Amino acid sequence: MAGSDTAPFLSQADDPDDGPVPGNPGLPGSMGNPKSEEPEVPDQEGLQRITGLSPGHSALIVAVLCYINLLNYMDRFTVAGVLPDIEQFFNIGDSSSGLIQTVFISSYMVLAPVFGYLGDRYNRKYLMCGGIAFWSLVTLGSSFIPGEHFWLLLLTRGLVGVGEASYSTIAPTLIADLFVADQRSRMLSIFYFAIPVGSGLGYIAGSKVKDMAGDWHWALRVTPGLGVVAVLLLFLVVREPPRGAVERHSDSPPLNPTSWWADLRALARNPSFVLSSLGFTAVAFVTGSLALWAPAFLLRSRVVLGETPPCLPGDSCSSSDSLIFGLITCLTGVLGVGLGVEISRRLRHSNPRADPLVCAAGLLGSAPFLFLSLACARGSIVATYIFIFIGETLLSMNWAIVADILLYVVIPTRRSTAEAFQIVLSHLLGDAGSPYLIGLISDRLRRNWPPSFLSEFRALQFSLMLCAFVGALGGAAFLGTAIFIEGDRRRAQLHVQGLLHEAGPTDDQIVVPQRGRSTRVPVASVLI
């Protein structure tokens, strides 16, 4: 009672957006709870006790998730590996070719929030099984579409987005619930190795299977069979760990899901999440454009240089560029992801803002090399490949680090939702429209020039230069993330430990004494 007598007559309600975070004077957060130590990091035995899974089983789950992630990206870029053949078969131009990727990404983007919501509340294993089984069937069906029904190919590529959305929003949160700290970063780096490696294998499988079978349709029939294996592995190997348990103190209460609108409101107020998502959007824009158009651009460059005969109607487009670009994508992905994670891990000990700064350095460094790769294409194809190699290596430094940032600035019960909306934002403003935009700019430029192989090359060259500018903007967004990263990470840690509680529906209420006790009442009911 004495405490209430000496308190101010009108005092602010407990609100995480006001008061200092314990141990961080002046940082918005909580009511100043003195218990402010760093979260406990469990050892191997502690993790096994919490998750109910042995270290070997947890590692096996990550291996299965990596296999499926590799398969997802392999399927996504198989189409790019045989794009010139698809253009010939369906008799379409650059803008229509860009729509193939745009329709897929748009579907993926729209469905991601649905699976994000479900992934935070229901069994993640069964959601992934259903999505991947559906994706495999649709991909197989897309290989039997006749040449006069291009719209049907677009429809099936859109339906493929169901499987990718069911997996990409959920798999990283499973890894987050199995590992913590540096161990989690290492596992995420292994998981995200699958993106560039799978992308490169997509180009390689597309071009080589087409050459072996003499028909590009067989390139689309490889991943569905592997998808059946993925569903079986998911069902037999993967187990559902408790959400957020590895990050809580032993005496902390379990976290309960909040409403979907509360999740969105909290994410919108998290500047590290918003800015890192904008930075990743730039990565998606650049990679989406290069993924679809780089092999075609390299082929046109060789035609202009006289190294390759042009691709004529009715003929199979014979070029080694899809294979070479696929190998470069695999190698630069492994180098870039590993380099980014290792540099960030070493710098974290001296600079807590290392993660966003490494991402910014990667994007800002890649922009000039990507520009040079385009500018040199008419003079030397070797120089073009060298600059692409350097640019893609720097660009790939972001993949695992961005995922790690999301996982430590967002609490466990809304991570799938955060993954989903990062996917929506990065694809809505990134690779959902970038392939089509590049193709559209290329077609518009060609209209102003006499028809020739040189004009086709120059139009695509100038349109792809937009990627360098967008990459620089993404680097600026990561620099902004570095300003807020420490405070947002600390707030998430305190919330998981039960030391910080978000304001709920009573955000617009204040605390007043009533009959010797403090009571919340609406602000509008108090006359000051």
Side-chain angles (χ1 to χ4, degrees):
M1 295 292 183
S4 63
D5 293 336
T6 58
F9 181 75
L10 295 178
S11 60
Q12 282 295 106
D14 299 357
D15 190 337
D17 290 336
D18 296 322
V21 169
N24 288 274
L27 183 65
S30 73
M31 293 290 292
N33 192 317
K35 186 180 179 182
S36 63
E37 67 271 13
E38 290 294 317
E40 300 168 1
V41 178
D43 56 14
Q44 292 286 357
E45 292 183 2
L47 285 174
Q48 183 171 351
R49 185 169 57 253
I50 294 168
T51 63
L53 300 169
S54 67
H57 195 166
S58 296
L60 187 59
I61 289 175
V62 173
V64 171
L65 297 179
C66 286
Y67 166 73
I68 301 171
N69 203 30
L70 183 144
L71 193 59
N72 274 339
Y73 280 85
M74 182 176 169
D75 174 77
R76 186 185 299 190
F77 293 106
T78 298
V79 171
V82 293
L83 187 62
D85 296 275
I86 292 176
E87 287 184 324
Q88 295 293 337
F89 183 78
F90 289 102
N91 191 26
I92 55 176
D94 286 350
S95 57
S96 296
S97 299
L99 272 178
I100 297 173
Q101 190 77 344
T102 295
V103 167
F104 159 71
I105 294 295
S106 298
S107 167
Y108 173 46
M109 174 185 67
V110 169
L111 291 166
V114 176
F115 284 101
Y117 175 86
L118 297 174
D120 280 332
R121 291 159 177 82
Y122 301 103
N123 190 289
R124 292 170 283 189
K125 167 181 169 178
Y126 297 129
L127 288 171
M128 290 190 291
C129 284
I132 293 171
F134 180 78
W135 154 69
S136 299
L137 289 172
V138 173
T139 301
L140 180 63
S142 69
S143 69
F144 296 99
I145 296 171
E148 61 271 17
H149 296 301
F150 176 65
W151 65 270
L152 195 54
L153 177 66
L154 293 179
L155 176 62
T156 55
R157 293 309 294 174
L159 292 175
V160 167
V162 175
E164 295 236 11
S166 71
Y167 178 78
S168 298
T169 57
I170 293 173
T173 68
L174 278 172
I175 296 175
D177 288 335
L178 292 171
F179 302 97
V180 289
D182 285 346
Q183 200 174 17
R184 175 193 289 171
S185 297
R186 283 192 294 271
M187 291 299 175
L188 284 173
S189 68
I190 295 171
F191 178 77
Y192 283 102
F193 276 139
I195 294 179
V197 173
S199 303
L201 288 177
Y203 294 114
I204 296 168
S207 61
K208 299 309 291 184
V209 171
K210 178 202 73 172
D211 291 341
M212 292 172 61
D215 183 359
W216 67 267
H217 291 87
W218 283 97
L220 300 183
R221 297 167 188 167
V222 174
T223 51
L226 298 174
V228 174
V229 177
V231 173
L232 292 174
L233 288 173
L234 268 176
F235 188 77
L236 296 174
V237 174
V238 174
R239 298 289 182 270
E240 178 85 2
R243 289 177 174 86
V246 296
E247 297 168 83
R248 294 197 301 267
H249 284 301
S250 58
D251 56 347
S252 301
L255 295 173
N256 295 315
T258 51
S259 71
W260 193 63
W261 288 112
D263 291 348
L264 297 186
R265 188 167 59 245
L267 292 173
R269 293 175 179 175
N270 188 326
S272 294
F273 169 74
V274 173
L275 288 170
S276 63
S277 297
L278 288 173
F280 188 66
T281 299
V283 177
F285 185 100
V286 176
T287 55
S289 300
L290 294 177
L292 189 70
W293 288 116
F297 172 73
L298 292 166
L299 174 61
R300 294 181 190 184
S301 174
R302 287 187 184 275
V303 170
V304 170
L305 291 171
E307 298 179 4
T308 301
C311 188
L312 300 175
D315 295 337
S316 178
C317 299
S318 178
S319 171
S320 60
D321 290 302
S322 291
L323 176 62
I324 297 173
F325 186 73
L327 291 172
I328 288 177
T329 302
C330 287
L331 186 55
T332 57
V334 172
L335 287 175
V337 172
L339 189 65
V341 169
E342 185 60 23
I343 292 174
S344 178
R345 187 184 67 82
R346 291 177 180 272
L347 290 179
R348 278 179 196 165
H349 301 293
S350 58
N351 189 343
R353 300 174 179 177
D355 286 352
L357 291 177
V358 170
C359 290
L363 263 178
L364 293 173
S366 69
F369 287 104
L370 293 177
F371 180 85
L372 288 171
S373 71
L374 298 169
C376 294
R378 192 177 173 186
S380 170
I381 197 71
V382 174
T384 297
Y385 274 122
I386 291 172
F387 288 129
I388 287 177
F389 186 93
I390 299 172
E392 285 211 325
T393 299
L394 293 171
L395 196 64
S396 298
M397 290 171 62
N398 293 272
W399 289 108
I401 301 176
V402 171
D404 207 10
I405 289 174
L406 182 148
L407 293 173
Y408 64 63
V409 300
V410 176
I411 63 173
T413 53
R414 57 175 64 117
R415 282 175 180 160
S416 289
T417 299
E419 291 278 358
F421 277 90
Q422 187 174 84
I423 287 171
V424 168
L425 182 63
S426 62
H427 292 312
L428 179 65
L429 302 179
D431 56 354
S434 65
Y436 177 70
L437 178 62
I438 297 299
L440 184 63
I441 294 172
S442 176
D443 278 349
R444 292 293 173 86
L445 290 174
R446 284 164 61 183
R447 291 178 188 175
N448 301 322
W449 299 330
S452 68
F453 296 120
L454 177 60
S455 65
E456 290 180 4
F457 163 75
R458 289 177 60 202
L460 192 52
Q461 179 189 42
F462 291 155
S463 61
L464 283 170
M465 287 181 178
L466 178 63
C467 295
F469 175 73
V470 173
L473 291 179
F478 280 119
L479 290 177
T481 306
I483 298 173
F484 300 100
I485 193 76
E486 292 180 89
D488 291 335
R489 173 166 43 196
R490 186 63 181 154
R491 271 188 289 274
Q493 288 174 347
L494 293 171
H495 195 126
V496 170
Q497 295 169 40
L499 305 179
L500 177 63
H501 301 283
E502 292 180 341
T506 57
D507 282 350
D508 59 346
Q509 296 183 347
I510 59 175
V511 178
V512 299
Q514 183 177 3
R515 297 178 183 177
R517 302 176 65 182
S518 295
T519 304
R520 293 180 184 270
V521 299
V523 174
S525 67
V526 180
L527 296 178
I528 299 177

